[in-house]
Amino acid sequence: MNGSAAARPGPRRTVLRTQLVAPPPRPHALPRTSLTDRLGAVSAPGRLTLVVAGAGWGKTTLVASWVRAEPGPAAWFSVDATDSDPVRFWGGVVAALDGVVPGLISRSAQLLGAPGTSTATDVVPALLDELAALDAPVTLVVDDYHLADSAEVHRGVALLVTHLPATLRLVLVSRTEPPLPLARLRGQGRVAELGVEDLRLSAAESAELLAAEADATGTVWAPGDATRLHARTEGWIIGVHLGVLSRRGHSATAPSGPSPLATAGPDDERARHLVDYLRGEVLRPLPDDLRRVLRRTAILDAFRADLAVAVTGQPDAADLLARAEREQLFVVPLDVRGDWFRFHHLFAEVLRDDLARTEPDLVPQMHTRAAQWLAAHDQPVAAVRHALAGDDPELTAALVARHAPVLTRIGQVQTALSWFRTLGDDVCRADPRLAAARALTGAHTGRPHEIVSWAAAAERALDSPTPGRPQLTPGETTAARIEIAMLRWAAAIFAGEFAASRRHVDEALRLFPAGAGAPSGFMLLALGVARFRTGEADASWATLVEAESVAEDRGEPLAVVAARGLRALQAALGGRLEEAARLAASAEAVAEQNGLVEHFNTATLRAAQGWVALHTGRQRKAVGLFRRALELVQRGGLRVEVAEVLTALAMAEDRLGREAAAREHREEAERVVATCPDPGYMWADPRAPAHRPSASPAHNGVVLSPRQAEILRLLAAALTTVEIGERLQLSPRTVEAHLRTLYRKLGVRSRTAAARYAVEHGLTDGE
């Protein structure tokens, strides 16, 4: 039921379109029909296919050609350097699959990044279930898997490959063998592998490539050149291409000079020689303006024309890069529209090295330009990455402070924490914006002690500014103090200190500038929650209504869900069951529309639905709803709410006659409440007699069991024996047996008399 700004979800990760598209075919590309046929033969649903080789062996080109020729849906995800964060990685996988089989991904997408969930233990199992339900197989290619350098990513992928359903054909393309349970899969015959020996060009293929290049470019080759080139490159595709490139404009003699083409050995040794050759034979002869724009653009993982112009400072950058592409200077297209490109990885390495040697002072400035452009074009993760490498500390701090909380709200905690580690604790403590962002990260990840310590650091930074640091404006200072008050509200909510939570939200509202309009829906929600916990039911209801209205106007769906869910619970507690059901259903609809059904703040609407079921005789339904509420609220680490749901679950179990389970839930609830310094008003309190096992007194001290008390309530509601049995999932004969026992205990002889007894003793709608 936490409704603070600390609980707000941000938009799900927007995966770059270029990451979800197989690279288009290159001009004059060599068709490798036999190899694509082989790839199609070994790749099968329910089987992992690994394509592993170093740079320059044509892995991606091969798999992309195969995918274009294969029938059926095929999803493509190219991993980039920021995808070591497990939520970003699986966000890319989910987006890729959803793009080719719309509607396939539902619960896994909802779980992705929800507070308190894990990609390996929550998202991947849900994804496996969804894939298994497909009617026909789908192919998923994950390219550049070696860039996903994270134990948590590998753990999730290991689970996926171990339990691959018969509806998924998974292809991983990597420079190195991934740390997956490959030995076991090999023993089971569930993995197919292609490596360097498979990708190596044959002599005929090398000759075919040279002939195609000669036709396209007018390059002159002497007899026997193809044989010599193939021998020197040993079929290494990029080596052959480089041999072709080096011949353009030269006489018809065999390739000569210091060249990687004469080098045999491991991939890394080949790469070193190729780097030297690229530097001396390809880059150095280029015109100065072309070489300059290439090396400056190389700081970017991917680029398009306007980004290159902004970063390089050269108005003609777009024309020069187009020339580089036409001349096949290792410029790789990333989409079919020809908007985005990257350099071949080895060529990019050479260009960056050339930049560091020739224009070292310009490098930080270009990183800053890249950060500014990317931030303005909604690519915050890439923007911060460049800002950290740039020369503008103020821009870096502003970007991290703004985007770190957004990332942690959607589960990309590792990325945000890596930014803070790069900046260092001292820098974060000296800047109130960064300290507040660190505190928000603690709130989003359920670490109250971090909320408290970093909120205090933010306040100290405001009270004692660090000399030389940019000072906040009065408006920014007020906003920061409001944020600190709301952070302390969140910490109090987590800890179960509700009197303190009320003080903190009151302080935030006191600081809110007059004439600035209404506070946010989240701030009003926080006030509504505080009033609910301090027993101000009517005031809480009115505040929650206002919070809903403001949140709807401002596009804050989680605040709408949380406020409406709490109102549904209040209505249920007040016996207005139809209104409660209507409010809960409305809150549920908003949650579904906005991808929030797995957020822990939806626990309140589930609890309201459970309370309605509990008081309309649907005990098994109530148990299911309370268990769902418990699953959700435990993710949020909210102690009081956990105790309440456990108590309500115990009440439902009691009514089903499951005394041992009810006792276990109630004892756990009591232990949780004991850790809360000030739990305030609890709608289901394990310490309250009214919420303990039913002890409905009959005449002469007779006590009814929970099941008997429930049957009596349904009897008073004029339900027939069959209807009572349907509600409680009992046979009519069992219901009649309970009725006979009831009549005997109550000293009555008919249904009418028993119903009258229930009304007279207030047993029609109590516990």
Side-chain angles (χ1 to χ4, degrees), residues 260-328:
L261 312 184
T263 304
D267 282 345
D268 56 351
E269 183 180 339
R270 291 176 182 274
R272 286 195 298 272
H273 284 277
L274 179 58
V275 165
D276 292 340
Y277 190 85
L278 285 169
R279 182 179 295 119
E281 300 298 322
V282 176
L283 188 60
R284 188 174 299 150
L286 294 177
D288 289 344
D289 57 347
L290 178 56
R291 185 170 64 250
R292 183 167 54 250
V293 79
L294 290 176
R295 71 188 179 215
R296 290 182 179 181
T297 309
I299 70 164
L300 301 164
D301 293 329
F303 56 87
R304 71 184 198 193
D306 53 346
L307 172 56
V309 170
V311 169
T312 64
Q314 294 183 233
D316 59 347
D319 294 335
L320 291 168
L321 289 170
R323 172 183 169 184
E325 185 197 5
R326 286 193 303 273
E327 296 185 6
Q328 297 188 45

Side-chain angles (χ1 to χ4, degrees), residues 459-473:
E459 190 165 51
R460 286 194 298 272
L462 285 174
D463 293 338
S464 303
T466 301
R469 290 200 61 84
Q471 300 301 303
L472 302 185
T473 67

Side-chain angles (χ1 to χ4, degrees), residues 42 47-50 182 185-193:
V42 300
R47 195 180 198 190
L48 168 66
T49 300
L50 276 179
L182 298 178
L185 294 173
R186 287 166 180 146
Q188 297 168 346
R190 296 176 54 217
V191 59
E193 299 176 77

Side-chain angles (χ1 to χ4, degrees), residues 18 56 139 167 252 375 445 503 710 720 755:
T18 54
T139 298
T167 52
T445 54
R503 291 196 301 273
E710 186 60 29
T720 66

Side-chain angles (χ1 to χ4, degrees), residues 418-748:
S418 71
W419 295 346
F420 292 129
R421 284 194 297 270
T422 302
L423 290 172
D425 284 355
D426 290 344
V427 171
C428 293
R429 289 192 185 96
D431 190 318
R433 300 166 301 174
L434 292 170
R438 287 290 300 267
L440 280 167
T441 299
H444 300 152
T445 54
R447 292 176 226 178
H449 63 285
E450 291 190 9
I451 306 175
V452 173
S453 63
W454 282 104
E459 190 165 51
R460 286 194 298 272
L462 285 174
D463 293 338
S464 303
T466 301
R469 290 200 61 84
Q471 300 301 303
L472 302 185
T473 67
E476 290 172 333
T477 300
T478 298
R481 293 195 185 279
I482 291 173
E483 189 73 73
I484 291 168
M486 291 303 297
L487 284 164
R488 287 180 168 146
W489 175 87
I493 289 286
F494 277 114
E497 297 181 285
F498 284 104
S501 76
R502 176 61 187 274
R503 291 196 301 273
H504 293 312
V505 74
D506 284 346
E507 172 67 7
L509 289 166
R510 184 189 66 78
L511 290 167
F512 195 80
S520 71
F522 287 100
M523 193 177 297
L524 291 169
L525 172 61
L527 179 60
V529 171
R531 285 175 169 170
F532 175 72
R533 290 300 180 185
T534 52
E536 304 168 70
D538 292 342
S540 173
W541 181 276
T543 304
L544 292 171
V545 170
E546 184 181 2
E548 278 186 54
S549 176
V550 172
E552 285 181 322
D553 289 343
R554 298 188 180 181
E556 300 167 335
L558 185 58
V560 175
V561 172
R564 197 167 294 168
L566 182 50
R567 285 209 298 135
L569 182 60
Q570 288 179 303
L573 296 171
R576 306 190 307 277
L577 301 185
E578 290 185 5
E579 182 181 9
R582 176 179 56 78
L583 286 168
S586 176
E588 183 178 13
V590 175
E592 289 176 346
Q593 292 164 6
N594 293 277
L596 297 169
V597 295
E598 295 295 336
H599 195 283
F600 64 79
N601 270 0
T602 62
T604 307
L605 75 87
R606 300 302 179 198
Q609 292 170 330
W611 197 263
V612 171
L614 183 70
H615 289 80
T616 52
R618 297 171 294 156
Q619 309 308 331
R620 295 183 189 278
K621 178 73 170 177
V623 167
L625 287 163
F626 286 138
R627 285 178 177 169
R628 175 64 171 145
L630 183 62
E631 175 191 11
L632 290 165
V633 79
Q634 284 177 330
R635 293 178 188 165
L638 302 168
R639 301 180 197 175
V640 172
E641 287 85 341
V642 167
E644 289 171 324
V645 176
L646 281 167
T647 303
L649 180 56
M651 293 165 64
E653 298 279 22
D654 267 330
R655 294 190 181 183
L656 289 172
R658 302 170 181 168
E659 296 179 2
R663 187 183 313 110
E664 181 180 343
H665 294 319
R666 191 171 285 105
E667 288 172 353
E668 184 180 354
E670 289 173 347
R671 287 193 295 271
V672 173
V673 171
T675 68
C676 301
D678 177 21
Y681 164 72
M682 295 181 64
W683 57 268
D685 190 340
R687 305 162 300 180
H691 295 157
R692 301 190 69 81
S694 177
S696 305
H699 287 301
N700 303 319
V702 174
V703 175
L704 304 180
S705 71
R707 175 53 59 79
Q708 291 165 351
E710 186 60 29
I711 289 175
L712 184 58
R713 291 186 189 92
L714 297 176
L715 190 68
L719 271 67
T720 66
T721 298
V722 172
E723 290 171 334
I724 293 173
E726 290 175 349
R727 287 283 184 92
L728 302 182
Q729 299 187 21
L730 300 173
S731 69
R733 180 176 298 179
T734 302
V735 175
E736 289 292 352
H738 279 299
L739 287 173
R740 287 194 294 272
T741 303
L742 264 175
Y743 297 163
R744 186 172 61 254
K745 283 188 174 185
L746 300 179
V748 300

Side-chain angles (χ1 to χ4, degrees), residues 202-482:
S202 67
E205 287 175 321
S206 292
E208 185 180 352
L209 179 59
L210 258 64
E213 289 283 351
D215 289 342
T217 63
T219 305
V220 179
W221 291 88
D225 280 354
T227 301
R228 285 190 291 272
L229 183 60
H230 177 74
R232 293 175 177 179
T233 61
E234 295 186 345
W236 190 26
I237 296 176
I238 195 172
V240 175
H241 178 69
L242 184 59
V244 172
L245 189 65
S246 67
R247 180 56 60 87
R248 293 180 187 175
H250 293 270
S251 62
T253 58
S256 61
S259 166
L261 312 184
T263 304
D267 282 345
D268 56 351
E269 183 180 339
R270 291 176 182 274
R272 286 195 298 272
H273 284 277
L274 179 58
V275 165
D276 292 340
Y277 190 85
L278 285 169
R279 182 179 295 119
E281 300 298 322
V282 176
L283 188 60
R284 188 174 299 150
L286 294 177
D288 289 344
D289 57 347
L290 178 56
R291 185 170 64 250
R292 183 167 54 250
V293 79
L294 290 176
R295 71 188 179 215
R296 290 182 179 181
T297 309
I299 70 164
L300 301 164
D301 293 329
F303 56 87
R304 71 184 198 193
D306 53 346
L307 172 56
V309 170
V311 169
T312 64
Q314 294 183 233
D316 59 347
D319 294 335
L320 291 168
L321 289 170
R323 172 183 169 184
E325 185 197 5
R326 286 193 303 273
E327 296 185 6
Q328 297 188 45
L329 286 172
F330 304 100
V331 178
V332 181
L334 294 179
D335 57 18
V336 294
R337 294 168 53 182
D339 292 337
W340 285 90
F341 301 87
R342 69 168 173 83
F343 294 116
H344 188 283
H345 299 300
L346 291 174
F347 192 47
E349 179 184 332
V350 173
L351 292 171
R352 286 191 291 268
D353 179 70
D354 188 57
L355 178 66
R357 289 187 296 104
T358 59
E359 299 180 291
D361 296 338
L362 190 59
V363 174
Q365 180 182 344
M366 288 193 301
H367 279 297
T368 296
R369 293 175 187 169
Q372 292 169 332
W373 189 96
L374 291 163
H377 289 78
D378 196 27
Q379 296 185 42
V381 175
V384 172
R385 186 174 173 217
H386 283 284
L388 289 168
D391 62 354
D392 190 336
E394 173 58 22
L395 173 65
T396 304
L399 288 175
V400 172
R402 177 182 176 187
H403 294 292
V406 176
L407 289 194
T408 53
R409 279 200 296 269
I410 59 176
Q412 295 177 27
V413 179
Q414 289 189 14
T415 298
L417 292 179
S418 71
W419 295 346
F420 292 129
R421 284 194 297 270
T422 302
L423 290 172
D425 284 355
D426 290 344
V427 171
C428 293
R429 289 192 185 96
D431 190 318
R433 300 166 301 174
L434 292 170
R438 287 290 300 267
L440 280 167
T441 299
H444 300 152
T445 54
R447 292 176 226 178
H449 63 285
E450 291 190 9
I451 306 175
V452 173
S453 63
W454 282 104
E459 190 165 51
R460 286 194 298 272
L462 285 174
D463 293 338
S464 303
T466 301
R469 290 200 61 84
Q471 300 301 303
L472 302 185
T473 67
E476 290 172 333
T477 300
T478 298
R481 293 195 185 279
I482 291 173

